[in-house]
């Protein structure tokens, strides 16, 4: 989703801005631009409808020089992805502005501003903000005051970077509901949507809070809270290296991330278990006493993270015997729900910035839950700062838009949570030790599954010319099938749906023919025989089956049935493991189709608008 970079420095800031945009590409975008105040106090701007590399080329042809600038990658919400709608937006050659978020009252402001004589050059919701700042500057020469006046008029979510040609060494940043971080340099400051953008120039960051406005010059930073009081926000030192976004020889980030799962899982387990026991304090200091009281769990998340929640619900009810409800965050936040006493609210998010998940958590905090927990991959994200308890998945930055290692490490975090709760609900020490052992065996087992890559690449050839695919699973493997279908559709653009295998004959069977590949996850559990019957229903209709099955499940490859046999594994760990071949399948189908795997069309890595 939209990315912001800004800088106030003695050096020419364009290279920093362009590199920052490049590093934000993973968030997803369709146009890009930058504006720099040159040494004659003139605003210069370059925008492109397309990629940052094209912006770089245009910049190379006519470089923008100056020490103050802002830049942006736009993911279209209001108005098509075209040049006029690309940011920065400029009002009367005076004020330039970049924005991430959605201004909900833009129509009303636009009408008023048109009546006051402002001309609009874009269809965006953002343009009203730049005009509002310009208008406010007619009553005060001070950009900070003009921004204060402006944001009082705005409804919605925003992260803003604003510059003004009358004050060439000043940048004002503001945050409400959309992420914004300040990079602290030596005699220079930067702003960005996340720390990755700025890692080449600093390791020191200040995370703005909702309602904050930052007044930034080369050698001074003043932050105001929503009441316009000066506040101190602490500086965090990032441990990430600038080269964290390296593909390490892999063709795509997604492939690198799939293959880094053994390590990501191992990292996510470090210090989380000790001597066969789960260390509850890894969820927060009060976690142990909270877990003792848990009588129910409510999970809210989006997309892949939602699928992780669905799997965890099976574990919670079976292992911890605690009822669990899983909700799509965008639904939960707008519906009235009943909260059972002593319910723990769990939000799951790779980025920690997903607007709907964050709003669900904010709602939960006001709704009388026992406590709130965030399972997240990004320390210092909005979600982790909002939740009372936090479990960080140590998957490392995930750059490919399609979530892979974040998902499997979320499952590891969720399994640890289930065991930590189950301990207070009758789980014996021996059972706990056995689960810990299973968890510790995961990296090696994932590694074994990755060795199937050539088989799956071959299998993928059968899918590349298909328009639809069906994924089947039962029990905790239904969400695995859902995740496999989501991966396939988002990166290969093949329409894929997941069904509970038992639902097949209630409708979707009508779709099955030799043009519809059917993928099924078939671990050797109590539902295997039922699943086998469902698969026969597919075979009888000429459907081609692709089965990921346990070696012991006694299903063999035959005409129209391709079986990939997986080593026996404990049923609780199996959802984590069966996900791996499905990720590889989606990846190789997308490779054959020549799709833009790391940045699939229309999608964003960090969905900061609802
Ligand atoms: C799919 C995918 C998305 C995200 C969803 C939530 O591969 O990555 O479905 O899972 O947008 O994002 P987070 O986890 O950052 O809240």
């Amino acid at each position: 989703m939209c990315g912001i970079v800004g800088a106030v420095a003695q050096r020419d800031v364009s290279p920093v801005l362009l590199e920052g945009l490049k590093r934000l590409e993973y968030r997803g975008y369709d146009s890009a631009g930058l504006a720099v105040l040159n040494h004659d106090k003139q605003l210069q701007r370059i925008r492109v409808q397309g990629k940052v590399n094209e912006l770089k080329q245009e910049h190379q042809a006519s470089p923008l020089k100056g020490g103050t600038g802002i830049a942006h990658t736009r993911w279209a919400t209001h108005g098509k992805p075209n040049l006029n709608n690309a940011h920065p937006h400029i009002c009367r050659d005076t004020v330039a502005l970049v924005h991430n978020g959605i201004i909900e009252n833009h129509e009303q402001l636009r009408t008023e501003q048109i009546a006051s004589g402002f001309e609009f050059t874009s269809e965006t919701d953002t343009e009203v903000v730049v005009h509002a700042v310009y208008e406010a500057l007619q009553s005060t020469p001070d950009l900070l005051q003009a921004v204060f006046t402006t944001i009082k008029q705005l409804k919605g979510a925003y992260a803003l970077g604003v510059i003004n040609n009358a004050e060439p060494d000043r940048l004002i940043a503001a945050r409400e509901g959309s992420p914004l971080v300040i990079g602290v340099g030596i005699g220079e400051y930067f702003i960005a949507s996340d720390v990755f953008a700025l890692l080449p120039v600093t390791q020191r960051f200040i995370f703005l809070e909702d309602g904050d406005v930052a007044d930034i010059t080369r050698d001074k930073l003043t932050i105001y809270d929503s009441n316009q009081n000066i506040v101190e926000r602490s500086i965090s030192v990032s441990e990430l290296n600038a080269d964290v976004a390296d593909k390490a020889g892999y063709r795509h980030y997604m492939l690198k991330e799939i293959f880094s799962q053994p390590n990501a899982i191992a990292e996510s387990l470090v210090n989380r278990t000790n001597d066969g026991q789960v260390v509850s304090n890894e969820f927060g200091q009060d976690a142990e006493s909270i877990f003792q009281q848990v009588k129910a769990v409510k999970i809210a998340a989006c997309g892949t993270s939602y699928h992780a929640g669905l799997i965890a619900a099976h574990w919670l009810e079976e292992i911890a015997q605690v009822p669990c409800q899983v909700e799509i965050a965008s639904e939960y936040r707008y519906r009235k729900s009943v909260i059972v006493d002593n319910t723990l609210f769990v939000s799951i998010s790779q980025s920690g910035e997903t607007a709907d998940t964050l709003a669900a958590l904010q709602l939960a905090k006001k709704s009388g839950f026992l406590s709130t927990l965030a399972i997240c991959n990004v320390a210092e994200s909005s979600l982790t700062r909002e939740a009372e308890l936090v479990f960080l998945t140590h998957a490392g930055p995930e750059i490919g838009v399609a979530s892979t290692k974040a998902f499997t490490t979320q499952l590891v975090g969720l399994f640890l949570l289930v065991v930590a709760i189950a301990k207070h609900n009758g789980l014996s020490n021996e059972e706990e030790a056995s689960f810990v052992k299973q968890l510790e065996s995961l990296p090696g087992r994932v590694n074994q599954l990755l060795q199937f890559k050539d088989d799956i690449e071959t299998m993928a050839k059968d899918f590349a010319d298909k328009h639809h695919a069906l994924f089947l699973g039962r029990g905790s493997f239904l969400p695995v099938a859902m995740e496999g279908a989501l991966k396939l559709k988002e990166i290969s653009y093949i329409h894929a749906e997941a069904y509970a295998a038992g639902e097949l004959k209630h409708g979707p069977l009508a779709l099955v023919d030799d043009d519809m590949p059917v993928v099924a996850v078939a671990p050797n559990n109590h539902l295997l025989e039922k699943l086998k019957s469902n698969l026969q229903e597919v075979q009888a209709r000429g459907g081609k089956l692709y089965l990921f099955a346990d070696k012991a499940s006694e299903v063999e490859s035959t005409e129209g049935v391709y079986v990939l046999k997986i080593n026996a594994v404990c049923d609780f760990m199996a959802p984590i493991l069966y996900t791996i071949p499905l990720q590889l399948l989606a990846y190789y189908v997308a490779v054959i189709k020549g799709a833009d795997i790391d940045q699939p069309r229309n999608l964003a890595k960090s969905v900061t608008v609802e």
Side-chain angles (χ1 to χ4, degrees):
M1 206 135 278
C2 302
I4 287 178
V5 192
V8 192
Q10 204 140 27
R11 54 173 143 170
D12 272 332
V13 292
S14 294
V16 177
L17 300 179
L18 288 166
E19 176 60 17
L21 290 188
K22 190 83 197 136
R23 298 170 71 88
L24 290 178
E25 277 192 310
Y26 79 97
R27 295 167 70 91
Y29 71 107
D30 41 57
S31 54
L34 81 164
V36 172
L37 268 167
N38 72 12
H39 302 294
D40 298 324
K41 297 188 179 180
Q42 283 167 334
L43 273 174
Q44 324 147 84
R45 170 176 68 178
I46 306 177
R47 297 180 293 175
V48 296
Q49 178 192 336
K51 296 287 179 187
V52 174
N53 278 347
E54 293 162 48
L55 188 69
K56 279 187 169 173
Q57 277 164 14
E58 291 222 5
H59 186 266
Q60 219 163 15
S62 46
L64 308 187
K65 300 233 179 263
T68 303
I70 49 178
H72 192 263
T73 45
R74 173 172 186 259
W75 188 84
T77 55
H78 295 65
K80 293 188 193 75
N82 63 26
L83 203 61
N84 281 349
N85 290 334
H87 300 210
H89 289 286
I90 292 183
C91 182
R92 297 181 184 167
D93 295 327
T94 305
V95 184
L97 176 140
V98 285
H99 166 224
N100 174 13
I102 289 179
I103 306 300
E104 287 166 7
N105 58 339
H106 71 103
E107 278 173 3
Q108 174 214 333
L109 292 171
R110 183 181 270 252
T111 309
E112 290 165 11
Q113 290 174 350
I114 290 173
S116 314
F118 284 100
E119 277 174 24
F120 279 77
T121 57
S122 79
E123 304 155 301
T124 63
D125 54 330
T126 302
E127 199 176 347
V128 297
V129 190
V130 76
H131 294 323
V133 176
Y134 178 91
E135 192 162 39
L137 279 172
Q138 306 318 298
S139 324
T140 166
D142 186 272
L143 185 60
L144 175 68
Q145 294 306 325
V147 171
F148 278 143
T149 307
T150 300
I151 59 179
K152 278 192 201 128
Q153 302 168 46
L154 305 180
K155 289 203 181 93
Y158 52 80
L160 299 172
V162 195
I163 56 176
N164 165 27
N165 69 348
E167 298 170 272
D169 296 324
R170 197 176 193 190
L171 164 64
I172 306 293
R175 176 201 160 135
E176 178 65 49
S178 297
L180 199 60
V181 60
I182 295 181
V184 181
I186 298 170
E188 52 188 11
Y189 284 100
F190 311 92
I191 61 168
S193 296
D194 66 37
V195 299
F196 296 121
L198 301 178
L199 286 173
V201 285
T202 185
Q203 300 282 119
R204 299 193 302 149
F205 296 99
I206 295 171
F207 296 88
L208 291 182
E209 294 190 7
D210 273 346
D212 282 358
V213 175
D215 183 3
I216 309 167
T217 59
R218 277 209 297 264
D219 45 20
K220 192 159 180 241
L221 167 71
T222 314
I223 301 177
Y224 299 84
D225 66 11
S226 53
N227 297 317
Q228 298 186 12
N229 295 319
I230 293 180
V231 281
E232 287 293 321
R233 300 273 181 242
S234 56
I235 297 182
S236 311
V237 179
S238 171
E239 287 171 5
L240 296 171
N241 293 322
D243 61 4
V244 82
D246 191 299
K247 282 191 200 139
Y250 286 92
R251 188 162 163 197
H252 296 98
Y253 285 115
M254 183 179 175
L255 192 62
K256 174 188 168 196
E257 286 157 7
I258 291 174
F259 273 83
S260 69
Q261 287 177 109
N263 190 43
I265 291 172
E267 286 291 325
S268 299
L269 283 169
V270 170
N271 295 333
R272 267 71 193 262
T273 62
N274 184 18
D275 209 9
Q277 291 204 311
V278 171
V279 181
S280 300
N281 276 357
E282 282 292 303
F283 290 85
Q285 274 192 341
D286 300 330
E288 184 73 29
S289 69
I290 292 168
F291 292 163
Q292 270 172 26
Q293 302 167 58
V294 172
K295 290 276 174 275
V297 173
K298 165 89 85 185
I299 299 178
C302 302
T304 288
S305 299
Y306 167 69
H307 296 158
L310 291 174
I311 294 169
H314 284 270
W315 292 335
L316 271 160
E317 301 213 342
E318 276 189 54
I319 300 172
Q321 286 156 44
V322 166
C324 176
Q325 260 193 328
V326 192
E327 305 228 18
I328 294 171
S330 57
E331 291 293 315
Y332 170 72
R333 65 181 288 195
Y334 292 118
R335 79 177 191 88
K336 286 207 166 63
S337 64
V338 177
I339 300 157
V340 179
D341 282 350
N342 286 2
T343 301
L344 174 68
F345 182 88
V346 180
S347 51
I348 312 169
S349 171
Q350 184 283 130
S351 61
E353 302 296 348
T354 302
D356 286 319
T357 307
L358 190 57
L361 172 59
Q362 284 161 343
L363 172 68
K365 281 178 75 180
K366 293 185 266 175
S367 307
F369 282 95
L370 168 66
S371 185
T372 56
L373 163 68
I375 295 191
C376 187
N377 196 36
V378 181
E380 296 294 353
S381 59
S382 303
L383 203 74
T384 56
R385 278 179 286 137
E386 196 80 44
E388 284 142 18
L389 302 175
V390 173
F391 181 91
L392 281 179
T393 50
H394 291 155
E398 192 177 67
I399 308 290
V401 162
S403 195
T404 51
K405 61 179 181 170
F407 177 69
T408 44
T409 53
Q410 282 167 352
L411 289 174
V412 167
L414 286 161
F415 197 86
L416 290 167
L417 172 70
V418 171
V419 174
I421 294 174
K423 288 207 271 199
H424 304 289
N425 230 5
L427 188 80
S428 69
N429 288 346
E430 292 70 37
E431 285 167 318
E432 181 177 4
S434 149
F435 282 138
V436 167
K437 210 163 152 202
Q438 291 289 343
L439 279 170
E440 287 169 351
S441 74
L442 277 174
R445 288 176 179 274
V446 171
N447 222 353
Q448 285 168 5
L449 283 166
L450 291 169
Q451 309 313 315
F452 284 121
K453 83 180 216 342
D454 293 339
D455 299 290
I456 295 172
E457 194 172 357
T458 308
M459 185 191 280
K461 292 183 186 138
D462 289 359
F463 286 71
D465 62 343
K466 300 287 186 290
H467 296 102
H468 308 276
L470 206 56
F471 284 67
L472 301 177
R474 275 180 170 263
S476 59
F477 297 88
L478 171 59
V480 174
M482 290 163 80
E483 177 58 10
L486 176 62
K487 287 288 93 92
L488 187 68
K489 73 181 114 182
E490 71 179 319
I491 60 167
S492 76
Y493 314 143
I494 292 176
H495 171 231
E497 289 304 328
Y499 268 92
E503 278 289 285
L504 202 57
K505 52 182 157 309
H506 299 291
L509 198 55
L511 295 171
V512 172
D513 61 15
D514 59 3
D515 206 32
M516 164 83 97
V518 178
V519 180
V521 266
N524 188 21
N525 63 15
H526 65 293
L527 293 170
L528 180 66
E529 290 311 317
K530 307 255 174 234
L531 182 71
K532 280 184 186 168
S533 318
N534 303 141
L535 299 180
Q536 299 220 329
E537 292 159 10
V538 172
Q539 249 182 303
R541 270 99 195 153
K544 203 160 179 196
L545 268 172
Y546 297 83
L547 264 183
F548 297 96
D550 191 298
K551 269 190 180 152
S553 61
E554 292 176 4
V555 271
E556 301 299 332
S557 294
T558 53
E559 179 68 29
V561 184
Y562 186 105
V563 184
L564 198 136
K565 293 203 175 177
I566 290 172
N567 282 344
V569 57
C570 134
D571 205 35
F572 291 121
M573 294 297 123
I576 305 179
L577 295 166
Y578 277 73
T579 300
I580 310 294
L582 298 185
Q583 294 170 343
L584 286 169
L585 178 64
Y587 173 79
Y588 284 115
V589 174
V591 168
I592 296 167
K593 293 194 74 182
D596 188 352
I597 291 178
D598 287 329
Q599 289 166 33
R601 68 183 181 208
N602 308 339
L603 297 183
K605 183 70 185 161
S606 198
V607 186
T608 51
V609 295
E610 65 171 294

